[in-house]
Amino acid sequence: MKRYFEIKEFTSGDKTRVYTIQETGASLSETDQFFSQFKDDPKFKKDIEIIVKWIRKISTEGALERFFRPENKGEAIPIEASKLRLYCYRVNDDILILGNGGQKTSRSVQNSPEAFPHFQTINEVALIVKWKESQGKLSIEGNHLKGELRFFINPKRNERDI
């Protein structure tokens, strides 16, 4: 079943514009859902503080490669030890797209049922953004994404569907 999304601005700093994705019909973006789920749970207080610290650092210093954990086509923050992962796609040093995340309960994200769907989604987002840019449907102007910011994810997707 297709899931429809839009890329929306989340925050921006001196260096980097941070976007998020929001599913059509959802009241919160994927990133806001992540924070809503974990922010009031005392066992994740430190993890949330670490992730917020990294988002602030990235927005002011740039979405530099060294700030992220490589996760297939996407990335994850934080780079330091944490029980939580927030999945994202680093477009370049000036643009970051945040998704959702969850608790990583095993060494492999594929064996972490709470985190794995969000890992899959951000990897699809990365493929779609790259494809749209290659087709001229999306462009990067400074730290702004311009063009078609709506898309859908189809589990049985092929290039015609993007």
Side-chain angles (χ1 to χ4, degrees):
M1 182 168 148
K2 293 179 186 175
R3 296 176 62 202
Y4 292 84
F5 292 90
E6 183 174 359
I7 299 170
K8 297 182 166 194
E9 187 172 332
F10 186 73
T11 190
S12 64
D14 297 337
K15 181 72 177 149
T16 304
R17 186 165 311 272
V18 180
Y19 291 89
T20 185
I21 58 173
Q22 185 164 343
E23 191 165 5
T24 301
S27 60
L28 296 173
S29 72
E30 292 293 303
T31 308
D32 288 328
Q33 288 176 40
F34 171 82
F35 285 115
S36 291
Q37 180 179 356
F38 295 107
K39 71 178 172 66
D40 295 326
D41 189 331
K43 74 179 180 182
F44 296 116
K45 183 180 188 312
K46 180 72 174 154
D47 301 282
I48 291 295
E49 288 172 357
I50 290 169
I51 290 170
V52 168
K53 175 190 83 169
W54 277 102
I55 291 171
R56 286 186 181 134
K57 183 177 182 79
I58 289 163
S59 68
T60 57
E61 294 182 28
L64 307 175
E65 255 183 280
R66 69 179 179 265
F67 292 162
F68 301 92
R69 292 175 181 273
E71 298 277 353
N72 198 346
K73 305 278 185 265
E75 291 82 21
I77 47 181
I79 196 161
E80 59 193 89
S82 174
K83 293 174 240 151
L84 297 178
R85 295 288 186 277
L86 178 60
Y87 294 100
C88 54
Y89 169 51
R90 180 188 162 277
V91 178
N92 60 30
D93 288 351
D94 302 322
I95 299 172
L96 178 68
I97 301 172
L98 298 174
N100 201 328
Q103 184 176 9
K104 189 167 178 220
T105 54
S106 72
R107 190 169 168 91
S108 166
V109 68
Q110 289 83 352
N111 296 323
S112 296
E114 189 179 297
F116 188 58
H118 306 299
F119 164 85
Q120 288 179 300
T121 298
I122 206 65
N123 280 288
E124 285 292 316
V125 169
L127 287 171
I128 290 166
V129 167
K130 288 176 186 177
W131 185 85
K132 282 186 176 233
E133 186 180 10
S134 75
Q135 299 298 305
K137 296 177 181 209
L138 187 142
S139 64
I140 297 169
E141 296 175 18
N143 65 356
H144 294 273
L145 291 175
K146 302 280 185 177
E148 285 184 17
L149 300 180
R150 293 175 190 241
F151 62 93
F152 66 88
I153 294 175
N154 184 351
K156 296 179 182 172
R157 176 183 65 81
N158 63 45
E159 275 193 5
R160 300 191 307 274
D161 295 333
I162 298 177

